[in-house]
Amino acid sequence: MSERRLLILYGSQTGYAKDTAYRIGRQAWRRHFSVSVQSMDQVDKWSIFTTTYPVIFVCSTTGQGEEPDNMKKFWRFILRKTIPYDALSGLNYAVFGLGDSSYQKFNFPAKRLSRRLQQLGGTPIVDRGDGDDQHYLGLDGALDPWLENLWTVLLDQYPLPKPIVPESVAPDPSCDIDYIDEQIDASVGKTELIPGTHLARLVKSDRMTAPDHFQDVHLFEFELDDSTQTPQWSPGD
């Protein structure tokens, strides 16, 4: 097991699972893994059957225990009855779910995904992790010990070629930001919106937690491009 590669796949509705996936990706980079982070619907689904390196799945819960939009195609694909029961016998995987235990169907997508991967012959690297918003530390209450266990197991299988890159060293940025002076049209042009979503402009972002608090919580205010199309929402959306 000399190939130091990791594939991290996420299903994210509001961005938390995506952020978690990239956090894991940064930790993998510090441990000298070659890492790729993608949504589950981005990846070549057939490649999962021939992957020889570990795959980390991170998925959140939306609605009443439903999977996020950007993992629906992947989920339908691996549910196919024509897939042989041992199709994933060469896959080593780990699953971490993000949810809220105050809901009846707590972390259902992660639980079902983990069970299906195992049904198809996959081998779990560590037990499934269940992040819970109700924990006094939030999702980190489950994520931090789960990651500690994950890296212990992976580094036993893939020993470090050199010391872990310290936190003081930042990885290369994943995007570039340019500041402009003039006002521009913020239209998304021909971008296709997901049904039920609305185009809005961010007009305000205030940090709600103290500057020295470990959680960076912001209050965002948005301005709708079409004020006549007021979205319906509920607490927790």
Side-chain angles (χ1 to χ4, degrees), residues 22 26 171-177:
Y22 275 96
R26 289 191 295 272
D172 293 334
S174 58
C175 61
D176 295 322
I177 298 177

Side-chain angles (χ1 to χ4, degrees), residues 126-194:
V126 294
D127 291 340
R128 186 192 69 248
D130 289 321
D132 184 4
D133 270 335
Q134 294 301 313
H135 193 285
Y136 75 96
L137 290 177
L139 297 170
D140 289 342
L143 180 60
D144 287 346
W146 184 82
L147 283 174
E148 184 177 350
N149 189 26
L150 176 69
W151 296 127
T152 297
V153 174
L154 285 178
L155 292 183
D156 183 56
Q157 299 174 353
Y158 301 87
L160 283 168
K162 46 189 172 180
I164 294 175
V165 177
E167 292 288 338
S168 58
V169 179
D172 293 334
S174 58
C175 61
D176 295 322
I177 298 177
D178 292 326
Y179 292 91
I180 57 175
D181 296 326
E182 69 275 11
Q183 186 174 359
I184 62 171
D185 181 7
S187 172
V188 294
K190 296 183 179 180
T191 300
E192 183 177 350
L193 297 178
I194 298 173

Side-chain angles (χ1 to χ4, degrees), residues 193 196-200 223-233:
L193 297 178
T197 61
H198 300 266
L199 183 63
E223 182 179 272
L224 291 169
D225 279 7
D226 184 356
S227 60
T228 64
Q229 299 295 320
T230 304
Q232 299 298 312
W233 58 275

Side-chain angles (χ1 to χ4, degrees), residues 11-233:
S12 183
Q13 192 70 22
T14 60
Y16 286 112
K18 180 179 180 180
D19 288 346
T20 300
Y22 275 96
R23 173 182 171 183
I24 298 171
R26 289 191 295 272
Q27 291 192 7
W29 172 81
R30 295 188 186 283
R31 289 160 177 80
H32 309 287
F33 284 95
S34 174
V35 60
S36 175
V37 182
Q38 302 177 60
S39 74
M40 292 187 211
D41 283 354
Q42 281 181 307
V43 73
D44 176 7
K45 301 171 187 62
W46 293 99
S47 67
I48 202 75
F49 298 124
T50 56
T51 298
T52 58
Y53 42 86
V55 180
I56 314 299
F57 295 88
V58 182
C59 61
S60 60
T61 309
T62 185
Q64 296 300 315
E66 299 172 7
E67 66 276 358
D69 289 333
N70 59 3
M71 72 170 279
K72 287 183 181 295
K73 294 179 182 178
F74 179 87
W75 178 238
R76 288 195 296 267
F77 174 77
I78 64 170
L79 281 180
R80 291 182 178 182
K81 294 181 180 179
T82 55
I83 298 177
Y85 70 93
D86 59 348
L88 297 180
S89 58
L91 178 69
N92 294 303
Y93 71 90
V95 177
F96 187 84
L98 288 75
D100 187 325
S101 60
S102 66
Y103 288 83
Q104 184 177 5
K105 296 183 178 180
F106 171 55
N107 269 343
F108 260 38
K111 292 174 181 177
R112 290 183 295 196
L113 175 62
S114 181
R115 185 163 57 246
R116 182 56 175 163
L117 294 172
Q118 202 159 6
Q119 285 174 350
L120 295 176
T123 303
I125 302 168
V126 294
D127 291 340
R128 186 192 69 248
D130 289 321
D132 184 4
D133 270 335
Q134 294 301 313
H135 193 285
Y136 75 96
L137 290 177
L139 297 170
D140 289 342
L143 180 60
D144 287 346
W146 184 82
L147 283 174
E148 184 177 350
N149 189 26
L150 176 69
W151 296 127
T152 297
V153 174
L154 285 178
L155 292 183
D156 183 56
Q157 299 174 353
Y158 301 87
L160 283 168
K162 46 189 172 180
I164 294 175
V165 177
E167 292 288 338
S168 58
V169 179
D172 293 334
S174 58
C175 61
D176 295 322
I177 298 177
D178 292 326
Y179 292 91
I180 57 175
D181 296 326
E182 69 275 11
Q183 186 174 359
I184 62 171
D185 181 7
S187 172
V188 294
K190 296 183 179 180
T191 300
E192 183 177 350
L193 297 178
I194 298 173
T197 61
H198 300 266
L199 183 63
R201 184 177 293 103
L202 177 65
V203 295
K204 190 175 182 181
S205 173
D206 293 332
R207 178 166 177 145
M208 306 303 292
T209 47
D212 58 348
H213 194 269
F214 74 97
Q215 287 182 314
D216 186 6
V217 179
H218 281 248
L219 172 65
F220 297 110
E221 290 187 12
F222 296 92
E223 182 179 272
L224 291 169
D225 279 7
D226 184 356
S227 60
T228 64
Q229 299 295 320
T230 304
Q232 299 298 312
W233 58 275

